[in-house]
């Protein structure tokens, strides 16, 4: 049960200062999605937001968070509860999903909340007060997803003592964020006047108010620090006025006068600590101790925090802090003025500590800012490979580009780093010249007897590995395989961790040849070595392809377990939620297919959403095809056939035009496209597709099987079941031999329809029973719902499906719902049609039903979106099959046979 008082917005104190200039900043504007009100305790954050809510006409959901809400399920239950408590409807499904789904599946109910907000179309505001209690990285990632896909007009306001671990930098670039920081919370002179006179009830004259506001620049923390310095706020003899000083809030600068007053009035240990640690972009006790050469930093940090000395906590455990940017900049300036050489040494100690303690990106950022190019080259040579494989290839490219060109050209290791970064950025067209340059450089080193022979061998292995991937993109499987195996032979003699990437390439080779068992073993090795080598990107891609194969072999549970365990490992070792979440095209695509097949379409869509950004922004052709394939399949499952056709045609076009740039044979998009043609009644297009595909060759047997299954579907729809049977018999044997169990179930379903069309009812029932048994064992659901109406009707009448069981009940209910929704023209006769010597095709039955409605030939042609000559051909064929010579005779014969409802 939820505590409803957490949904109540605190009442604003009528005596509090109305801060209209800040309230206007909180107002909704395009393209803003997030207000960030972040400041230490006592800065008036909640008061400000309460005032803004009170004057806003927007529907507002308020949630006051506490330490108990730092758990994903409870957090989202309260967020949903806050919306419901304030009038948002349509959240029943979302609430139920939150109660029953696993923690790994929370994207589903979050997507349901987003969809409910979209459907409501109201300009909602969500206020999350005391957000600093939320530290769970899973919640931060989920909030990132929630903010990324909010509908237009919805605005989230976070009120927090610390800046949350969200991708704020990315959102700020998109102008999604309005920051209300302590500098903005500083009181204006007018606000100071109201504060002292109205809120505090202190009788100060106007000149005194102006003097205090000028001295402290309206910043409450600065006022407190002035009081701590011993001088207080009273007038000092002989003190000159500073009423003219101002703060540029946009630049977040504080006057040297205030800082000098604060710094000079501190005890010497505190003053020295501030100057020494100003070089730290973030502070913790260990880092401060290293910079100072002391061991009492934790106590001093806690003292600064108690005294509000511009120290902002970054967590709730008092471990990590940062100085306010303005305060730190002033301290840095003072420290460098006092002792320039010592300041340089302290900065170097900060960077050394960051690099040694795993804060590599932050350390490199400091080096780049300092423009120390020799040091940057050394650090990239040591850490660049791991950064690239952790998903930061674009950042590494930027750092390499900042180096002097001579430094880069003289270092084989840095050149290799550039090759890898370009490879992961999918800019493979630039690799050949670089590889040639690198090989020349290594040959020169050998000729010059360079001492790093082991390093040269390692780079040669990396070059071979990259060339193996380039060979795959050119469909040169033999060269790719030879190069990969060469790397495996040399790999134990090098210092560079390459096994995970090499085994991933081997897995791609086996997958491309259809050797799924060996592909699985290679990919499992890639995942295992990737974890040892700490390569999250490789682990995610290898695990994703592994799950894709397991799904296509019919082992959905194992595929889902693979996705879950890999994601958990990656999140554990790539856990900074302020960085973009690593996404694998293979893994997300596998999850889309898994949840689509389980009839959890909304959850499937939540995994599709992040991939669509890659399609829009432009991605590697192979990934583009996979994404469009699963996108089209999901649209097909949802009955959005036209959307599916557009997406699949795009995928097929890219696969055809850019085949040389794809490392593997892409999924059989055209096979699914043919099913869309059949579902929309475009039999002519399906027939044209069948004629084209029969001349195509496929390296991957999965794609060959998928195409041949669709060929058989078209043959059945055209009233040629014997041809369909001939197509399916050898296909069934090969799928069973190779353990392609998903395809085997599809083959058996289409086979049963062909047998029924031939009038072989008993054999059809036996084949259908085998298909249902296979589907039940694997947990397939949508597989049955996406076959023809004839197959669905045969399934509904199958005794095996009437037996008790959870899967039977779910499938039976789904098929019954589909039968009820089907239009009358879609309820095709099954056994009655099979009684004819030559059964009517699906298209001929449709023509017969339109004749029954009294339509003329031209109207039938318009209804079916075909040429009138095609309609005449269908009528001529059905006359022959019914042994009649006119429309009247055809309708009478059809009713006698039970072919018409």
């Amino acid at each position: 049960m939820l505590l409803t008082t957490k949904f109540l917005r605190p009442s604003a104190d009528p005596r509090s200062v109305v801060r209209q200039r800040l309230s206007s900043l909180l107002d909704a504007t395009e393209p803003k999605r997030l207000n960030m009100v972040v400041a230490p305790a006592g800065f008036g954050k909640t008061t400000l937001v309460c005032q803004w809510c009170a004057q806003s006409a927007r529907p507002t959901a308020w949630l006051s968070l506490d330490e108990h809400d730092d758990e994903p399920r409870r957090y989202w239950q309260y967020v949903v509860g806050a919306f419901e408590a304030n009038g948002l409807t349509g959240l029943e499904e979302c609430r139920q999903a939150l109660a029953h789904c696993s923690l790994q599946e929370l994207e589903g109910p979050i997507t349901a909340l987003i969809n409910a907000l979209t459907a409501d179309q109201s300009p909602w505001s969500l206020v999350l007060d005391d957000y600093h209690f939320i530290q769970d990285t899973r919640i931060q990632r989920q909030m990132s997803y929630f903010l990324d896909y909010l509908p237009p007009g919805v605005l989230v306001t976070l009120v927090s003592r610390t800046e949350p671990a969200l991708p704020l930098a990315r959102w700020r670039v998109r102008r999604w964020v309005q920051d209300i920081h302590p500098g903005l919370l500083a009181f204006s002179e007018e606000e100071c006047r109201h504060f002292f006179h109205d809120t505090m009830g202190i009788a100060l004259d106007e000149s005194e108010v102006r003097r205090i506001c000028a001295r402290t620049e309206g910043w409450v923390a600065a006022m407190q620090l002035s009081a701590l310095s011993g001088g207080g706020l009273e007038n000092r003899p002989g003190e000159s006025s500073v009423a003219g000083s101002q703060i540029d809030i946009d630049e977040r600068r504080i006057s040297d006068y205030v800082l000098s007053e604060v710094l000079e009035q501190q005890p010497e240990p505190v003053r020295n600590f501030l100057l020494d640690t100003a070089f730290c972009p973030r502070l913790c006790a260990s880092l401060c101790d290293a910079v100072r050469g002391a061991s009492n930093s934790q106590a001093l940090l806690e003292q600064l925090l108690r005294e509000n000395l511009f120290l902002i906590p970054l967590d709730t455990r008092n471990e990590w802090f940062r100085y306010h940017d303005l305060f730190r900049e002033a301290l840095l300036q003072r420290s460098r003025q006092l002792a320039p050489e010592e300041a340089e040494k302290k900065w170097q100690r900060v960077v050394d500590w960051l690099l040694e303690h795993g804060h590599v990106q932050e350390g490199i950022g400091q080096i780049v800012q300092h423009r120390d190019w020799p040091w940057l080259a050394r650090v990239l040579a040591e850490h660049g490979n791991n950064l690239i494989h952790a998903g930061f290839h674009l950042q590494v490219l930027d750092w390499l580009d900042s180096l002097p060109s001579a430094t880069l050209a003289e270092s084989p290791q840095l050149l290799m780093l550039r090759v890898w970064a370009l490879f992961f950025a999918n800019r493979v067209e630039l690799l050949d010249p670089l590889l040639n340059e690198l090989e020349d450089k290594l040959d020169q080193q050998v000729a010059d007897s360079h001492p790093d022979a082991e390093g040269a061998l390692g780079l040669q292995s990396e070059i071979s590995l990259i060339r193996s991937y380039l060979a795959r993109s050119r469909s040169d499987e033999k060269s790719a395989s030879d190069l990969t195996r060469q790397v495996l032979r040399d790999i134990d003699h090098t210092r560079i961790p390459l096994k995970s990437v090499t085994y991933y390439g081997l897995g791609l080779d086996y997958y491309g040849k259809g050797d799924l068992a060996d592909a699985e073993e290679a990919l499992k090795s890639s995942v295992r070595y990737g974890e040892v080598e700490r390569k999250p990107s490789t682990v995610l891609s290898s695990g994703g392809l592994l799950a894709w194969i397991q799904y296509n072999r019919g082992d959905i549970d194992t595929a889902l377990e693979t996705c879950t365990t890999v994601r958990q490992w990656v999140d554990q070792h790539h856990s900074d939620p302020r960085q973009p979440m690593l996404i694998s095209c293979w893994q997300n695509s596998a999850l889309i297919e898994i949840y689509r097949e389980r009839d959890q379409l909304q959850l499937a869509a939540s995994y599709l959403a992040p991939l669509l950004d890659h399609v829009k922004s432009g991605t590697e052709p192979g990934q583009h095809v996979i994404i469009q394939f699963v996108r089209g399949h999901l649209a097909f499952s949802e009955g959005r056939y036209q959307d599916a056709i557009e997406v699949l045609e795009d995928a097929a076009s890219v696969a055809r035009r850019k085949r040389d740039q794809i490392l593997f044979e892409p999924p059989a998009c055209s096979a699914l496209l043919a099913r869309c043609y059949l579902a929309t009644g475009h039999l002519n297009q399906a027939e044209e597709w069948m004629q084209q595909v029969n001349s195509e060759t496929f390296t991957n047997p999965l794609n060959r099987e998928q195409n041949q299954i669709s060929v058989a579907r078209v043959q059945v729809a055209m009233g040629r079941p014997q041809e369909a049977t001939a197509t399916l018999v050898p296909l069934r044997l090969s799928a069973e031999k190779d353990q392609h169990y998903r395809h085997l179930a599809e083959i058996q379903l289409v086979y049963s329809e062909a047998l029924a069309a031939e009038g072989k009812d008993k054999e059809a029932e036996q084949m259908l029973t085998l298909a249902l048994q296979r589907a039940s064992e694997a947990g397939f659901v949508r597989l049955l719902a996406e076959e023809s109406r004839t197959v669905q009707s045969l399934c509904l009448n199958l005794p095996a499906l009437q037996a008790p069981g959870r899967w039977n009940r779910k499938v039976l209910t789904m098929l019954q719902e589909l039968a009820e929704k089907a239009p009358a023209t879609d309820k095709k006769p099954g056994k009655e049609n099979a009684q004819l010597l030559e059964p009517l095709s699906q298209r001929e039955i449709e023509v017969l039903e339109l004749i029954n409605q009294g339509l003329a030939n031209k109207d039938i042609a318009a209804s079916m979106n075909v040429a009138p000559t095609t309609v005449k051909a269908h009528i001529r064929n059905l006359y022959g099959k019914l042994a009649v010579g006119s429309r009247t005779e055809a309708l009478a014969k059809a009713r006698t046979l039970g072919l018409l409802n």
Side-chain angles (χ1 to χ4, degrees), residues 102-223:
S102 68
L103 291 179
Q104 287 76 32
E105 298 176 348
L106 281 177
E107 283 88 349
I110 296 170
T111 302
L113 173 57
I114 295 171
N115 291 342
L117 289 167
T118 305
D120 186 74
Q121 297 184 337
S122 298
W124 277 92
S125 285
L126 170 64
V127 178
L128 300 172
D129 195 16
D130 288 334
Y131 190 79
H132 51 270
F133 285 116
I134 304 304
Q135 299 294 313
D136 193 307
T137 56
R138 293 171 296 179
I139 299 179
Q140 307 291 19
R141 289 191 183 280
Q142 291 156 3
M143 279 295 291
S144 299
Y145 174 79
F146 181 66
L147 265 294
D148 276 335
Y149 297 103
L150 273 181
V154 177
L155 181 62
V156 177
T157 300
L158 301 185
V159 184
S160 177
R161 294 182 184 178
T162 61
E163 189 170 279
L166 295 170
L168 297 173
R170 170 162 59 89
W171 293 342
R172 284 174 179 134
V173 169
R174 298 180 180 179
R175 297 186 294 120
W176 285 6
V177 182
Q178 173 64 61
D179 289 296
I180 306 290
H181 49 71
L184 280 175
L185 285 165
F187 277 23
S188 66
E189 184 177 307
E190 183 67 21
E191 288 169 336
C192 282
R193 181 181 298 108
H194 285 296
F195 174 74
F196 285 112
H197 283 256
D198 302 336
T199 305
M200 302 303 296
I202 299 175
L204 295 176
D205 60 37
E206 293 299 311
S207 62
E208 184 70 2
V209 171
R210 283 195 298 272
R211 188 187 70 81
I212 294 172
C213 185
R215 282 197 57 205
T216 63
E217 299 188 15
W219 196 351
V220 175
M223 295 180 191

Side-chain angles (χ1 to χ4, degrees), residues 75-87:
Y75 174 85
W76 287 106
Q77 284 175 330
Y78 267 108
V79 170
V80 171
F83 278 110
E84 280 196 310
N86 288 278

Side-chain angles (χ1 to χ4, degrees), residues 263-274:
L263 188 63
E264 291 173 5
Q265 298 303 319
Q266 299 307 311
E268 185 176 356
V270 173
R271 184 167 63 249
N272 291 338
F273 180 87
L274 290 170

Side-chain angles (χ1 to χ4, degrees), residues 46-117:
T46 301
T47 300
L48 169 65
V49 176
C50 284
Q51 289 176 345
W52 171 67
C53 290
Q55 68 186 32
S56 173
R58 301 167 63 90
T60 300
W62 181 285
L63 175 58
S64 297
L65 297 162
D66 57 44
E67 63 273 16
H68 303 297
D69 299 324
D70 194 26
E71 189 279 322
R73 191 190 309 277
R74 176 185 172 94
Y75 174 85
W76 287 106
Q77 284 175 330
Y78 267 108
V79 170
V80 171
F83 278 110
E84 280 196 310
N86 288 278
L88 180 62
T89 59
L91 293 174
E92 295 79 7
E93 180 182 348
C94 176
R95 197 167 6 89
Q96 292 172 5
L98 278 171
H100 298 102
C101 72
S102 68
L103 291 179
Q104 287 76 32
E105 298 176 348
L106 281 177
E107 283 88 349
I110 296 170
T111 302
L113 173 57
I114 295 171
N115 291 342
L117 289 167

Side-chain angles (χ1 to χ4, degrees), residues 789 792 796 812-824 827:
R789 299 291 184 196
Q792 293 178 26
L796 281 171
L812 196 60
T813 301
M814 183 176 61
L815 292 177
Q816 288 170 342
E817 290 175 352
L818 288 172
E820 292 170 2
K821 293 177 183 177
K827 297 178 180 177

